[in-house]
Amino acid sequence: MIELEGVPELIDPVMVAAFEGWNDAGDAASTAVGHLDREWKGEVFAALDAEDYYDFQVNRPTVFLENGVRKITWPTTRLSVVRVGGDKPRDLVLVRGIEPSMRWRSFCNELLGFAHELGVEMVVILGALLGDTPHTRPVPVSGVTSDPDLARTMDLEETRYEGPTGIVGILQEACTHAGVPAVSLWAAVPHYVSQPPNPKATLALLNRLEDLIGLRIPLGELPEDARAWQLGVDQLAAEDSEVAEYVQTLEEARDTAELPEASGEAIAREFERYLRRREPGTGPGPGVATEGGDSPFLRDPGSGRTRPPKPEQPGPESVPGAEAAPEAETEPEPEAGADAPDGGSVPDGGATGENPPGENPPGEDPSGEDPDASGPDDDSGK
């Protein structure tokens, strides 16, 4: 039985979750939840027991000094609450952690227990995958769900993926079976520049989340960081003629695939977002988090931890509008040496190029290419 002492009754709460590791190319998804927590000054109220879900040889604890005293931060998943002010105030339950090494069903059930006790109305899980998408174009973000009614009412794709999955896919299915509406948002990160951070992909996820839940999210310095990131990649690509030619090929494929949409709904969505940010009266204002000495939330003393080493990202995946883009739900292989969901282990060897989880962006046909091949072609899908 989960008891949440000190947490007040929440207003129309939505749970937003992201997990470092296999489902987090370029750290885009976990950084997005971290941005929400930082901008709205979230207060940690719960942390899952690390002993139950993590292999400490895969995700090692870290040691740090606090006022000259050595302390240990254990890899885990933490939950915080932020109260967003504005014309229509509501609360967000933020879940940020590392993909668990074991006992995934118990892990999801524990998160669903918190969701039930807090009255969560919908769960949104953020993910990021590697894809054949040019860094010079807007980041593709796809929304998928296992709920046919939710897909229809919220203009999402209904996932039909079959194959290996990550914790994002397991949590989404657990929500569906528990009767909790759940959506996965996937951002595609260029596979040729996959090193974190990727502020452009993080920004794209936050913009899509903003549209989905109807909140105005303060972006801080993210837009400027995204521009600086793209400029830096432009300079690196210009120094290598092969990379520049490859990027041009991806641009042509993307522009051709998205030409019909570019003159219609895509422009309308961007214009509506622009108006929301220009005119305070058109939507909820920036969030205001509860803080100060009278805060009703309980702090986790370990919340200021140093992040553990990152696992390797999955191999290149296809994304919407990319060349040879496949069916909506292929997933990446787990990182080398990590425990698989069924308790097995994936051999070392780096990224495999397998398709990403079933939450991957929809709407593409398989290309039939070798899944282990690298380069512009790709057979993954979403």
Side-chain angles (χ1 to χ4, degrees), residues 127-218:
L129 54 94
L130 300 177
D132 288 335
T133 182
H135 71 278
T136 54
R137 298 293 184 266
V139 175
V141 177
S142 297
V144 295
T145 180
S146 300
D147 186 332
D149 295 332
L150 199 61
R152 183 174 57 256
T153 57
M154 302 192 74
D155 192 24
L156 302 166
E157 290 288 336
E158 183 180 356
T159 179
R160 299 187 182 280
Y161 169 76
E162 298 179 9
T165 189
I167 192 61
V168 171
I170 299 300
L171 180 56
Q172 179 168 319
E173 289 306 306
C175 291
T176 300
H177 289 298
V180 179
V183 176
S184 296
L185 299 181
W186 286 93
V189 172
H191 68 81
Y192 57 89
V193 57
S194 60
Q195 298 85 349
N198 190 318
K200 187 173 181 179
T202 296
L203 180 61
L205 279 171
L206 291 175
N207 283 335
R208 186 69 174 87
L209 177 66
E210 186 178 64
D211 295 339
L212 184 70
I213 63 178
L215 287 179
R216 179 180 171 188
I217 298 174

Side-chain angles (χ1 to χ4, degrees), residues 33-360:
V33 174
H35 176 87
L36 297 175
D37 191 71
R38 182 173 57 255
E39 289 293 324
W40 282 327
K41 299 179 177 61
E43 294 287 345
V44 174
F45 66 86
L48 276 59
D49 189 344
E51 292 279 348
D52 291 340
Y53 304 114
Y54 294 98
D55 179 347
F56 299 138
Q57 290 182 324
V58 176
N59 297 290
R60 293 185 178 275
T62 57
V63 179
F64 67 98
L65 292 175
E66 185 176 283
N67 298 325
V69 179
R70 291 172 63 84
K71 295 187 176 181
I72 296 177
T73 297
W74 297 93
T76 189
T77 294
R78 294 180 172 85
L79 293 85
S80 59
V81 173
V82 296
R83 174 148 294 169
V84 184
D87 297 336
K88 298 178 180 178
R90 77 181 312 169
D91 295 315
L92 296 182
V93 179
L94 304 179
V95 179
R96 186 185 181 195
I98 306 168
E99 184 177 64
S101 307
M102 51 199 166
R103 302 185 65 208
W104 285 19
R105 286 176 293 186
S106 298
F107 180 87
C108 293
N109 287 337
E110 188 164 354
L111 290 180
L112 283 171
F114 282 109
H116 175 73
E117 290 296 318
L118 294 169
V120 167
E121 298 180 348
M122 182 171 66
V123 175
V124 182
I125 315 167
L126 306 183
L129 54 94
L130 300 177
D132 288 335
T133 182
H135 71 278
T136 54
R137 298 293 184 266
V139 175
V141 177
S142 297
V144 295
T145 180
S146 300
D147 186 332
D149 295 332
L150 199 61
R152 183 174 57 256
T153 57
M154 302 192 74
D155 192 24
L156 302 166
E157 290 288 336
E158 183 180 356
T159 179
R160 299 187 182 280
Y161 169 76
E162 298 179 9
T165 189
I167 192 61
V168 171
I170 299 300
L171 180 56
Q172 179 168 319
E173 289 306 306
C175 291
T176 300
H177 289 298
V180 179
V183 176
S184 296
L185 299 181
W186 286 93
V189 172
H191 68 81
Y192 57 89
V193 57
S194 60
Q195 298 85 349
N198 190 318
K200 187 173 181 179
T202 296
L203 180 61
L205 279 171
L206 291 175
N207 283 335
R208 186 69 174 87
L209 177 66
E210 186 178 64
D211 295 339
L212 184 70
I213 63 178
L215 287 179
R216 179 180 171 188
I217 298 174
L219 299 178
E221 298 180 356
L222 264 179
E224 184 59 33
D225 291 343
R227 284 190 290 269
W229 176 87
Q230 180 167 325
L231 179 60
V233 179
D234 286 342
Q235 294 172 345
L236 291 174
E239 297 172 359
D240 189 319
S241 59
E242 292 185 2
V243 173
E245 182 179 351
Y246 177 55
V247 172
Q248 183 178 1
T249 301
L250 293 179
E251 290 173 342
E252 292 171 355
R254 174 76 176 273
D255 294 344
T256 300
E258 295 190 347
L259 187 59
E261 185 185 11
S263 59
E265 295 183 0
I267 294 177
R269 283 196 301 268
E270 289 302 317
F271 185 63
E272 289 172 358
R273 184 180 294 118
Y274 169 79
L275 289 179
R276 281 201 304 271
R277 293 193 170 279
R278 293 278 293 183
E279 302 175 17
T282 60
V288 178
T290 304
E291 57 178 332
D294 58 348
S295 170
F297 306 124
L298 305 179
R299 285 191 178 275
D300 179 356
S303 61
R305 64 187 177 91
T306 302
R307 277 169 58 175
K310 298 292 299 168
E312 292 190 30
Q313 297 297 334
E317 327 293 351
S318 334
V319 298
E323 186 176 4
E327 171 80 50
E329 15 228 334
T330 11
E331 322 193 14
E333 275 298 312
E335 70 271 15
D339 289 344
D342 59 2
S345 177
V346 178
D348 289 338
T352 64
E354 289 291 333
N355 298 332
E359 312 68 34
N360 294 355

